[in-house]
Amino acid sequence: MKMTFRWFGDKFDTITPEQIRQIPAVVGVITTLYDTMPGEVWETAAIRALKERVERAGLEISGIESVNIHDAIKAASSERDMYIENYIKTLERLGEQGIDLVCYNFMPVFDWTRSDLAKPRSDGSTVLSYDAEIIESMDFEQMLESIGSKSEGYLLPGWEPERMARNKELFEIYKGIDEHKLKENLGYFLRAIMPVCEKYNIKMAIHPDDPAWSVFGLPRIVKDAEDLQELINLAPSPCNGITLCTGSLGSNPENDIPAIIRSLKGKIHFAHTRNVKYLGYRKFDESAHLSDDGSLDMYEIIKALYDIGFDGPVRPDHGRMVWGEKSMPGYGLYDRAMGICYLSGLLEAIRKQK
Ligand code: CS2
Ligand code: MN
């Protein structure tokens, strides 16, 4: 396992690679070209510049999160093959620069959802939280407005403004697409890109749906152990694998994360390790990383990853906002750095017990 940290680039992030470099154990960043839209072919010069920037700080690019997938691919509309060609070109260019991990998701229309981006806790910090009752009391437009108004002008990954402007049209193209069809479309995409992934040894790591259930009537296909197994079988290849995000899968208490990890030996390419605190049915806060602070057993999670021989990048996921820091919701420096130290401590103890 190698410790990494998500970085949003000089233009969008409040944190620098030089600061990240000072967190013990961190060897690399997980990043992307935030200026590109889903479907665009990435420029080699831009990939190189990003790489050089990160390496100047003494770090590596440990993976790309994400190369986003155009909705034409997810919905199998007429432009799908053209967008798959573009995706393949981007993968080639990444592969030529030695990048060997790509995280992506297959959620229709938008990425993650929360009802609150800064819910105050009794310790004075704030957290992202989800309450199905609040989400279900809104229509999609209201939810968008609510999320946008709480972001304090920061970029919300997965919520690109240009894409959101098209949301009505996007909802339209998913009419008639159920989970079965969406899975078929994922299989088609994966089978098309596997040859180029194999050529450059790029590991594709799908991110689970967040939260792990359907919202606003849209189909969701990466929610539990069964879905994960199915999608592995859609395109059998060493390059087709998973981002094991404990917080996303863990939003549903029925998902036994250590058991899921053990069932996916060899198929986990990347891990997001964070905790969630269950507050009721489909209601949770994103707590600090520590087991005692949330509902997941982080020791058992790291131990399961260790036991299956997982040696890819791990990153802390969303953190609390502490010590008055201002940054992108969930992506401050302090709490995630504390998270890394804690995860590294767990790992050291597990290693030494063996
Ligand atoms: C991330 C996701 O911040 C987050 O919630 O875990 O946005 C993740 O980057 C994407 O779903 C992966 O494509
Ligand atoms: Mn995640």
Side-chain angles (χ1 to χ4, degrees):
M1 258 176 268
K2 62 176 172 187
M3 290 296 168
T4 62
F5 204 80
R6 194 174 193 186
W7 179 58
F8 292 89
D10 282 315
K11 184 164 161 199
F12 299 102
D13 214 317
T14 49
I15 299 158
T16 63
E18 286 71 19
Q19 289 173 312
I20 295 171
R21 178 79 178 84
Q22 293 175 353
I23 308 168
V26 173
V27 297
V29 297
I30 300 293
T31 186
T32 188
L33 291 179
Y34 285 95
D35 277 338
T36 57
M37 289 298 290
E40 224 178 291
V41 180
W42 290 18
E43 297 296 335
T44 297
I47 302 170
R48 257 204 218 127
L50 184 65
K51 203 175 156 201
E52 281 163 16
R53 169 70 185 97
V54 169
E55 288 172 358
R56 249 196 337 270
L59 294 165
E60 60 169 33
I61 295 185
S62 304
I64 298 295
E65 176 175 350
S66 310
V67 181
N68 282 321
I69 303 199
H70 195 278
D71 284 279
I73 299 178
K74 297 183 210 165
S77 48
S78 57
E79 294 164 314
R80 135 164 99 171
D81 289 331
M82 188 265 281
Y83 282 113
I84 291 180
E85 276 312 306
N86 285 2
Y87 204 96
I88 289 174
K89 271 190 213 124
T90 296
L91 289 175
E92 261 165 7
R93 292 179 182 178
L94 288 169
E96 280 159 6
Q97 299 307 314
I99 289 167
D100 65 356
L101 172 71
V102 170
C103 170
Y104 69 103
N105 71 76
F106 218 73
M107 288 179 258
V109 188
F110 59 90
D111 197 321
W112 54 274
T113 328
R114 292 291 176 271
S115 50
D116 202 336
L117 301 180
K119 182 177 162 187
R121 299 199 340 161
S122 59
D123 62 5
S125 65
T126 65
V127 290
L128 282 82
S129 75
Y130 186 95
D131 182 343
E133 252 179 63
I134 300 177
I135 295 284
E136 282 159 21
S137 72
M138 298 190 265
D139 63 21
F140 185 71
E141 298 283 327
Q142 289 166 324
M143 195 270 291
L144 260 189
E145 216 189 287
S146 142
I147 272 216
S149 70
K150 289 174 183 157
S151 68
E152 297 186 12
Y154 288 109
L155 171 88
L156 295 174
W159 288 95
E160 302 92 347
E162 297 86 343
R163 228 168 142 215
M164 288 305 103
R166 291 180 57 216
N167 71 73
K168 282 218 178 76
E169 181 195 330
L170 287 179
F171 262 87
E172 225 22 63
I173 70 169
Y174 286 99
K175 285 222 165 100
I177 296 195
D178 58 10
E179 291 193 357
H180 176 75
K181 188 80 191 91
L182 189 61
K183 271 182 192 160
E184 262 181 25
N185 298 347
L186 172 59
Y188 182 95
F189 165 72
L190 284 172
R191 289 188 294 275
I193 64 165
M194 277 306 124
V196 72
C197 294
E198 284 164 15
K199 177 170 174 205
Y200 291 98
N201 189 27
I202 298 174
K203 293 175 268 333
M204 293 299 295
I206 195 166
H207 190 282
D209 302 335
D210 188 354
W213 49 79
S214 164
V215 270
F216 300 108
L218 292 164
R220 292 245 156 146
I221 57 171
V222 197
K223 309 175 299 300
D224 51 31
E226 202 183 317
D227 285 346
L228 291 167
Q229 208 52 61
E230 242 180 281
L231 77 91
I232 295 286
N233 296 338
L234 284 174
S237 160
C239 293
N240 176 25
I242 283 153
T243 297
L244 198 287
C245 177
T246 61
S248 302
L249 287 168
S251 59
N252 180 354
E254 283 173 25
N255 281 332
D256 176 346
I257 314 282
I260 291 179
I261 293 172
R262 290 177 197 280
S263 74
L264 291 171
K265 185 173 169 151
K267 289 293 164 195
I268 298 175
H269 294 327
F270 181 29
H272 291 177
T273 44
R274 71 175 154 92
N275 210 339
V276 285
K277 173 110 185 135
Y278 302 127
L279 301 171
Y281 179 70
R282 295 192 170 174
K283 185 172 175 183
F284 61 87
D285 283 353
E286 296 188 354
S287 59
H289 285 71
L290 202 75
S291 298
D292 280 349
D293 200 63
S295 303
L296 301 180
D297 187 330
M298 300 309 290
Y299 168 80
E300 288 298 337
I301 285 170
I302 299 295
K303 187 160 179 298
L305 287 168
Y306 181 88
D307 286 345
I308 63 164
F310 170 69
D311 62 359
V314 181
R315 72 166 179 84
D317 214 338
H318 310 161
R320 298 168 303 152
M321 219 41 86
V322 301
W323 303 332
E325 187 178 12
K326 293 252 174 258
S327 77
M328 247 173 277
Y331 285 102
L333 173 61
Y334 308 141
D335 199 43
R336 285 188 300 151
M338 286 192 259
I340 291 244
C341 293
Y342 167 66
L343 297 168
S344 301
L346 286 178
L347 188 58
E348 179 180 344
I350 291 163
R351 258 195 209 124
K352 289 181 173 167
Q353 274 162 17
K354 294 282 158 178

